[in-house]
Amino acid sequence: MTRPCAFVWTDDGVMKPLHPRRADQEYAVGERYMLAPYEDRSGATHKHEFAWLRDAWMNLPEHLAESFPTPEHLRKSALIDAGYFDETVIDAGTNAAALRVAAALRSFDDFALVIVRGPAVVRRTAKSQSRRMMDKKTFQESKTAILEIVSEMIGVSPSTLTEEASATQRPMKEFA
């Protein structure tokens, strides 16, 4: 997925790229392109997610703590549970071969969910929530979905979890 390129509409009716070298790499002279507004999400909403995730991780019940050694493990697991994942299915031929393939896949990626279904291995990896890979709307939907999953895991309401995180976050500096 290509990152959106910033343009400014000029008084003389020209859409001028703010980073011409990058635009030269992305676009060809004489070609037609459809433009649409792009809504970037704020860094604050991204930071807020990581704040409440860390709080939730620190308050995991003891029986879940071993399954999630870091907040990142918790986030990626919740994304997969919420349906925000990429899936690969490998036909290993036999159940025994599938078990060996699954063991190998698990050793490569701590964050992947690997399931054996007879002779098949299903590998699910969490979708990236980076600005480059997830637009504002999808990010907000995924953030809400994982908030609901994680808050249920620790036995608090989503609003309690987000309010606690908001209260502990440092105020952001304003830039002139």
Side-chain angles (χ1 to χ4, degrees):
M1 179 183 215
T2 303
R3 263 189 3 219
C5 192
F7 290 82
V8 64
W9 183 251
T10 65
D11 288 341
D12 55 348
V14 173
M15 194 64 83
K16 182 178 178 182
L18 295 180
H19 305 283
R21 280 192 226 141
R22 187 160 157 258
D24 283 342
Q25 294 172 347
E26 299 287 335
Y27 307 104
V29 174
E31 291 290 320
R32 297 180 98 188
Y33 297 94
M34 301 298 292
L35 295 176
Y38 171 80
E39 291 186 47
D40 196 11
R41 64 180 188 252
S42 74
T45 189
H46 203 78
K47 287 178 183 176
H48 184 245
E49 177 182 302
F50 287 93
W52 62 253
L53 269 166
R54 186 173 189 289
D55 288 352
W57 175 74
M58 292 176 66
N59 291 290
L60 281 173
E62 195 171 311
H63 70 280
L64 293 175
E66 279 187 33
S67 298
F68 306 103
T70 67
E72 189 68 0
H73 284 84
L74 179 60
R75 181 180 74 87
K76 289 190 176 192
S77 177
L79 280 166
I80 292 169
D81 289 349
Y84 294 90
F85 60 82
D86 295 312
E87 182 174 89
T88 304
V89 179
I90 302 165
D91 182 355
T94 66
N95 182 259
L99 291 170
R100 289 190 300 273
V101 169
L105 289 175
R106 286 185 187 110
S107 72
F108 292 129
D109 187 352
D110 284 350
F111 302 117
L113 174 63
V114 180
I115 307 161
V116 175
R117 292 189 181 142
V121 180
V122 178
R123 178 178 177 257
R124 293 180 177 164
T125 55
K127 288 201 175 280
S128 171
Q129 289 183 297
S130 72
R131 284 188 169 102
R132 183 175 182 188
M133 300 303 290
M134 195 176 276
D135 64 28
K136 180 180 181 177
K137 180 179 179 284
T138 308
F139 174 77
Q140 191 56 51
E141 290 167 353
S142 70
K143 180 180 173 182
T144 300
I146 67 173
L147 173 63
E148 290 170 2
I149 289 167
V150 171
S151 62
E152 186 175 319
M153 289 172 87
I154 64 169
V156 300
S157 71
S159 60
T160 299
L161 185 53
T162 58
E163 287 166 11
E164 292 289 323
S166 294
T168 59
Q169 272 189 306
R170 292 183 186 142
M172 304 225 3
K173 290 182 181 178
E174 291 191 13
F175 298 97

